Amino acid sequence: MGGGLEPVDDKFAKGSEGDRIAALAILEELPTLHVFSPIVGSLTAPRSNMDQYHALVAAEASIPYLTSDERNTLRGILHQLDGTMRPPTRA
């Protein structure tokens, strides 16, 4: 990966819920970083509803920057999740 991408992946890979959400928040604000794996990870294996919510927001922001294959992957994930997501709740 190019410069600037590793810190977001590293933050996500640390694994704590806070680190994951922080990485997704970065991608929400800077979708041009083009880091897709944390979005997929939080959509397909969320640690919390908030994790999945931030993945959805980051995915929406990233759409203009995704490759055709990534868009198809995202479309498939969202199709599988349709009707299974719940709104975030406070702990």
Side-chain angles (χ1 to χ4, degrees):
M1 284 188 213
L5 300 181
E6 291 83 3
V8 174
D9 277 338
D10 289 346
K11 185 170 270 313
F12 186 82
K14 286 182 181 177
S16 78
E17 186 175 341
D19 284 330
R20 288 168 63 99
I21 291 172
L24 293 167
I26 291 168
L27 297 176
E28 289 172 26
E29 295 299 317
L30 300 170
T32 56
L33 288 178
H34 196 108
V35 182
F36 191 56
S37 59
I39 294 170
V40 171
S42 286
L43 287 175
T44 58
R47 300 260 174 95
S48 68
N49 292 347
M50 196 61 110
D51 189 24
Q52 194 172 52
Y53 166 78
H54 282 283
L56 286 167
V57 175
E60 181 179 33
S62 297
I63 288 171
Y65 309 102
L66 298 178
T67 66
S68 178
D69 286 342
E70 289 169 334
R71 275 190 231 111
N72 288 333
T73 297
L74 181 59
R75 186 177 297 116
I77 291 168
L78 295 176
H79 180 70
Q80 288 178 335
L81 293 175
D82 188 31
T84 66
M85 294 183 287
R86 299 181 312 258
T89 57
R90 293 189 185 259

